[in-house]
Amino acid sequence: YKFAYFNINISIKIFRRIVMSFIDKTNIVIKKNNNDLYYFDIDKDIVLTKINNKNDILLPKILFTGDYSFVDIWLDTNEKDNIYGIINDKKGKILNLNIEEDNIDKHTMIKYDYKNFIVKFPYTKHISNIKHTIYYSINKSIPLLANLIHIYEDDNIYVKNTIDFIDYNILSNFVIAYSNNRPIIFYFKLVDKFEELFVSTFDLNSRSWSKPIQITKSNKNKIYLSVLQDENSNYHIVFSENHDNKYYCKYVNISLENNFLKINQESIISKDVMCLFPSIIKENSTIYIQWVEYFDLYICKSCDYGMNWSKPIMDKNISNQPFIRYQYISDNITSIFAPKNNLSLNSLPIK
């Protein structure tokens, strides 16, 4: 009987992890100025569901058919609160997107040789008349080397640059911030067989990128990058870093001015076995770091702009139900964790 009881308890715990846990999936949520939510479910197809500010759910609409993930699409809103973006159709085209209500306008921006090349993490940003497009281009014959490509468009001017050549063990996302409308890119690149963090700044006058500056020199592999820029022009950075096959949650605070880098603070936030998808967000004057360990969501906070951090705690409200990762687009773009089902403005950790 004790053996049977033990097995029942184990089964209950396993069942809880199956039905009430983190699901490794990333969708997109856009909050419009009127508090309507546009929810993009990215899986076998890309499906748009509109949730109005009264939490009425409108009929879902399939925008694209096919097998997609968050590494294939990027969305944003412009100054008129209209949704635009970019998608890799994986058939040799990178498409510009404009979405108004239930209508989607798409046209080809770039054609590439999809039989020999792979495109990952397409990104676009429209600022006034300037459009920036950035993506990884990978030659299938050299699968562990990526070209980090930037395209600048301004009226009739079109400039294509290679920001850097990226050796990698695992390809991670890059992150773009802006200072006086100048894009600043953060990304990982191998140095002596270990991923280190780099930063480069775009010059609007020469339309070229600065020589990349190496931020970290830890000789440890890194993955999952998140960056937050505060009102003091400091950059708060989190990622997972390998320490003897344990991926710690690592925080770095830097300032960057005229290509001069200053590291203000470095901290190990968590030393547990595996830190998945660390993300840094800010609400009012408090900065939060959230990440997944096993099947649960953990969070800590800083009330002094990253100089000190609270002890990590489990977010039981989120962890006790199926939850996923979202790319959340509002006043800023960040990653958040929220319930998979019954999504609403009230269920989001930041409003």
Side-chain angles (χ1 to χ4, degrees):
Y1 290 103
K2 290 183 179 180
F3 178 75
Y5 178 74
F6 175 79
N7 278 334
I8 290 171
N9 275 339
I10 292 296
S11 297
I12 290 172
K13 290 180 180 180
I14 293 173
F15 179 75
R16 177 189 178 275
R17 288 309 185 193
I18 292 173
V19 300
M20 304 178 71
S21 61
F22 174 63
I23 299 168
D24 189 358
K25 179 180 180 180
T26 303
N27 288 336
I28 299 175
V29 174
I30 297 176
K31 189 187 81 169
K32 305 293 285 289
N33 290 337
N34 65 356
N35 285 336
D36 285 352
L37 297 180
Y38 283 69
Y39 173 46
F40 297 82
D41 191 334
I42 306 170
D43 203 345
K44 297 298 180 183
D45 302 318
I46 298 179
V47 180
L48 168 61
T49 301
K50 182 180 176 182
I51 306 170
N52 67 24
N53 51 28
K54 297 178 181 178
N55 283 334
D56 298 322
I57 300 175
L58 305 186
L59 187 67
K61 180 178 180 179
I62 297 177
L63 300 182
F64 293 92
T65 58
D67 191 7
Y68 292 97
S69 77
F70 72 99
V71 305
D72 302 313
I73 185 172
W74 178 270
L75 296 172
D76 201 346
T77 56
N78 61 21
E79 64 276 4
K80 296 181 179 179
D81 207 30
N82 293 325
I83 300 172
Y84 70 92
I86 191 171
I87 188 171
N88 170 30
D89 73 353
K90 298 191 281 189
K91 299 176 183 177
K93 294 179 181 179
I94 298 176
L95 305 174
N96 275 326
L97 306 175
N98 287 286
I99 301 172
E100 295 185 14
E101 296 301 327
D102 294 331
N103 299 317
I104 180 167
D105 176 55
K106 53 191 176 185
H107 63 273
T108 301
M109 176 189 175
I110 301 168
K111 292 183 178 180
Y112 67 94
D113 178 6
Y114 71 97
K115 293 182 179 179
N116 294 304
F117 287 85
I118 300 170
V119 167
K120 294 291 184 184
F121 294 104
Y123 165 92
T124 191
K125 182 72 173 180
H126 300 177
I127 302 176
S128 299
N129 295 324
I130 297 174
K131 182 166 69 175
H132 298 281
T133 302
I134 302 175
Y135 58 93
Y136 288 123
S137 176
I138 303 165
N139 190 323
K140 292 181 180 180
S141 65
I142 317 173
L144 294 179
L145 175 66
N147 289 0
L148 185 53
I149 303 295
H150 170 249
I151 296 173
Y152 171 97
E153 295 179 77
D154 182 2
D155 294 329
N156 296 321
I157 299 173
Y158 181 97
V159 179
K160 184 177 181 179
N161 288 298
T162 298
I163 302 171
D164 205 347
F165 298 97
I166 311 293
D167 293 304
Y168 61 91
N169 293 318
I170 299 175
L171 188 66
S172 288
N173 62 301
F174 54 82
V175 177
I176 309 295
Y178 286 85
S179 176
N180 298 320
N181 289 340
R182 297 175 304 146
I184 300 169
I185 188 167
F186 297 84
Y187 60 93
F188 295 132
K189 176 182 177 179
L190 285 184
V191 177
D192 296 327
K193 300 182 180 180
F194 298 100
E195 281 95 358
E196 301 291 359
L197 182 62
F198 285 78
V199 62
S200 179
T201 303
F202 186 70
D203 188 314
L204 290 169
N205 294 317
S206 66
R207 302 186 185 93
S208 61
W209 289 84
S210 66
K211 181 180 178 181
I213 300 172
Q214 184 174 342
I215 299 174
T216 61
K217 298 178 181 179
S218 63
N219 294 324
K220 298 181 186 301
N221 285 320
K222 300 167 186 64
I223 194 172
Y224 307 132
L225 179 61
S226 181
V227 180
L228 171 72
Q229 182 181 12
D230 68 24
E231 61 270 23
N232 300 315
S233 296
N234 293 321
Y235 299 91
H236 305 266
I237 306 167
V238 290
F239 48 83
S240 295
E241 185 173 73
N242 190 331
H243 291 252
D244 297 324
N245 295 320
K246 296 181 179 180
Y247 275 84
Y248 292 175
C249 183
K250 178 74 175 286
Y251 167 80
V252 181
N253 180 323
I254 72 164
S255 54
L256 182 67
E257 188 171 354
N258 298 322
N259 288 327
F260 176 77
L261 173 71
K262 179 184 177 183
I263 297 178
N264 303 315
Q265 177 76 352
E266 289 187 81
S267 305
I268 298 292
I269 302 298
S270 171
K271 294 184 178 181
D272 284 318
V273 176
M274 186 61 183
C275 166
L276 293 173
F277 302 116
S279 177
I280 190 159
I281 59 178
K282 181 173 177 287
E283 190 168 31
N284 299 321
S285 60
T286 303
I287 298 174
Y288 299 88
I289 298 175
Q290 51 180 356
W291 67 94
V292 173
E293 288 179 15
Y294 298 108
F295 300 94
D296 296 316
L297 181 65
Y298 283 78
I299 190 167
C300 67
K301 67 180 181 179
S302 172
C303 299
D304 56 5
Y305 288 88
M307 293 300 103
N308 296 281
W309 291 92
S310 66
K311 183 179 178 180
I313 60 172
M314 183 196 300
D315 187 330
K316 294 182 180 180
N317 183 49
I318 296 294
S319 298
N320 285 334
Q321 58 186 313
F323 70 98
I324 66 172
R325 181 171 172 254
Y326 294 90
Q327 181 184 336
Y328 179 60
I329 299 152
S330 181
D331 296 330
N332 296 298
I333 298 177
T334 188
S335 292
I336 61 172
F337 297 90
K340 177 181 182 295
N341 304 314
N342 302 318
L343 186 70
S344 68
L345 186 62
N346 292 331
S347 69
L348 299 177
I350 55 177
K351 306 299 187 282

